[in-house]
Coordinates of all heavy atoms in Angstrom, one line a residue:
N1230 N 0.8 -1.3 0.0 CA 0.0 0.0 0.0 C 0.8 1.3 0.0 O 0.5 2.2 -0.7 CB -0.9 0.0 1.2 CG -2.1 -0.9 1.1 OD1 -2.2 -1.7 0.1 ND2 -2.9 -1.0 2.1
F1231 N 1.9 1.3 0.8 CA 2.7 2.6 0.9 C 3.3 2.9 -0.4 O 3.4 4.1 -0.8 CB 3.7 2.5 2.0 CG 4.0 3.8 2.6 CD1 3.2 4.2 3.7 CD2 5.1 4.6 2.2 CE1 3.5 5.4 4.3 CE2 5.3 5.8 2.8 CZ 4.6 6.3 3.8
A1232 N 3.7 1.9 -1.2 CA 4.3 2.2 -2.6 C 3.2 2.7 -3.5 O 3.4 3.6 -4.2 CB 4.9 0.8 -3.1
L1233 N 1.9 2.1 -3.4 CA 0.9 2.6 -4.3 C 0.5 4.0 -3.9 O 0.2 4.9 -4.7 CB -0.3 1.7 -4.1 CG -0.1 0.2 -4.7 CD1 -1.3 -0.6 -4.3 CD2 0.1 0.4 -6.2
G1234 N 0.5 4.4 -2.6 CA 0.3 5.7 -2.1 C 1.3 6.6 -2.6 O 1.0 7.8 -2.9
A1235 N 2.6 6.2 -2.6 CA 3.7 7.1 -3.1 C 3.5 7.4 -4.6 O 3.8 8.6 -4.9 CB 5.0 6.4 -2.8
V1236 N 3.1 6.5 -5.3 CA 2.8 6.8 -6.8 C 1.6 7.7 -6.9 O 1.5 8.6 -7.7 CB 2.6 5.5 -7.5 CG1 2.2 5.8 -9.0 CG2 3.8 4.5 -7.5
D1237 N 0.6 7.5 -6.0 CA -0.6 8.3 -5.9 C -1.4 8.3 -7.3 O -1.8 9.3 -7.8 CB -0.2 9.7 -5.4 CG -1.5 10.4 -4.9 OD1 -2.5 9.7 -4.6 OD2 -1.5 11.6 -4.7
D1238 N -1.5 7.2 -7.9 CA -2.4 7.0 -9.1 C -3.5 6.0 -8.7 O -3.2 4.9 -8.8 CB -1.5 6.5 -10.2 CG -2.3 6.3 -11.5 OD1 -3.6 6.4 -11.5 OD2 -1.7 6.0 -12.6
P1239 N -4.7 6.5 -8.4 CA -5.7 5.5 -8.0 C -6.1 4.5 -9.0 O -6.4 3.4 -8.7 CB -6.9 6.5 -7.7 CG -6.3 7.7 -7.2 CD -5.1 7.9 -8.1
E1240 N -5.9 4.8 -10.3 CA -6.2 3.8 -11.3 C -5.2 2.7 -11.4 O -5.5 1.6 -11.6 CB -6.2 4.6 -12.7 CG -7.4 5.5 -12.9 CD -8.7 4.8 -12.7 OE1 -8.9 3.7 -13.2 OE2 -9.5 5.4 -12.0
L1241 N -4.0 3.0 -11.0 CA -2.9 2.0 -10.7 C -3.2 1.1 -9.6 O -3.1 -0.1 -9.7 CB -1.5 2.6 -10.6 CG -0.3 1.6 -10.4 CD1 -0.2 0.8 -11.7 CD2 0.9 2.4 -10.0
T1242 N -3.6 1.7 -8.5 CA -4.0 1.0 -7.3 C -5.2 0.0 -7.6 O -5.1 -1.2 -7.3 CB -4.4 2.0 -6.2 OG1 -3.3 2.7 -5.8 CG2 -4.9 1.2 -5.0
A1243 N -6.1 0.5 -8.4 CA -7.3 -0.3 -8.7 C -6.8 -1.5 -9.6 O -7.3 -2.6 -9.4 CB -8.4 0.5 -9.4
A1244 N -5.9 -1.2 -10.5 CA -5.4 -2.3 -11.4 C -4.6 -3.3 -10.7 O -4.8 -4.5 -11.0 CB -4.6 -1.7 -12.5
V1245 N -3.8 -2.9 -9.6 CA -3.1 -3.9 -8.9 C -4.1 -4.7 -8.1 O -3.9 -6.0 -8.1 CB -2.1 -3.1 -7.9 CG1 -1.5 -4.1 -6.9 CG2 -0.9 -2.5 -8.7
S1246 N -5.1 -4.1 -7.4 CA -6.0 -4.9 -6.7 C -6.9 -5.8 -7.5 O -7.2 -6.9 -7.1 CB -6.8 -4.1 -5.7 OG -7.7 -3.2 -6.4
R1247 N -7.1 -5.4 -8.7 CA -7.9 -6.2 -9.7 C -7.0 -7.4 -10.0 O -7.6 -8.6 -10.2 CB -8.3 -5.3 -10.8 CG -9.3 -6.1 -11.8 CD -9.7 -5.2 -13.0 NE -10.2 -3.8 -12.5 CZ -9.6 -2.7 -12.7 NH1 -8.4 -2.7 -13.3 NH2 -10.1 -1.6 -12.2
D1248 N -5.8 -7.2 -10.2 CA -4.8 -8.3 -10.5 C -4.8 -9.3 -9.4 O -4.8 -10.6 -9.6 CB -3.5 -7.8 -10.9 CG -2.6 -8.9 -11.4 OD1 -2.8 -9.5 -12.4 OD2 -1.5 -9.1 -10.7
L1249 N -4.7 -8.8 -8.1 CA -4.8 -9.7 -7.0 C -6.1 -10.5 -6.9 O -6.1 -11.7 -6.7 CB -4.7 -8.9 -5.8 CG -4.9 -9.7 -4.4 CD1 -3.8 -10.8 -4.2 CD2 -4.9 -8.7 -3.3
A1250 N -7.2 -9.8 -7.3 CA -8.5 -10.5 -7.2 C -8.5 -11.6 -8.3 O -9.0 -12.7 -8.0 CB -9.6 -9.5 -7.5
R1251 N -7.9 -11.4 -9.4 CA -7.8 -12.4 -10.4 C -7.1 -13.7 -9.9 O -7.6 -14.8 -10.0 CB -7.0 -12.0 -11.7 CG -6.7 -13.0 -12.6 CD -5.5 -12.6 -13.5 NE -4.3 -12.3 -12.7 CZ -3.5 -13.1 -12.1 NH1 -3.8 -14.5 -12.1 NH2 -2.5 -12.8 -11.4
Q1252 N -6.0 -13.5 -9.2 CA -5.3 -14.6 -8.5 C -6.2 -15.3 -7.4 O -6.3 -16.5 -7.4 CB -4.0 -14.1 -8.0 CG -3.1 -15.2 -7.5 CD -1.8 -14.6 -6.9 OE1 -1.7 -13.4 -6.6 NE2 -0.8 -15.5 -6.9
L1253 N -6.7 -14.5 -6.5 CA -7.5 -15.0 -5.5 C -8.8 -15.8 -6.0 O -9.2 -16.8 -5.5 CB -7.9 -14.0 -4.5 CG -6.7 -13.3 -3.7 CD1 -7.3 -12.3 -2.8 CD2 -5.9 -14.3 -3.0

């Protein structure tokens, strides 16, 4: 999370969590 917050691009954050959801 801290890395995603450092980038501060909510669309990137959503893409990362969507990719995690794919795996789970």
Side-chain angles (χ1 to χ4, degrees):
N1230 287 359
F1231 211 86
L1233 294 171
V1236 178
D1237 201 13
D1238 178 353
E1240 291 305 313
L1241 178 67
T1242 296
V1245 168
S1246 65
R1247 189 178 305 114
D1248 184 62
L1249 172 64
R1251 171 204 54 76
Q1252 184 179 21
L1253 297 180

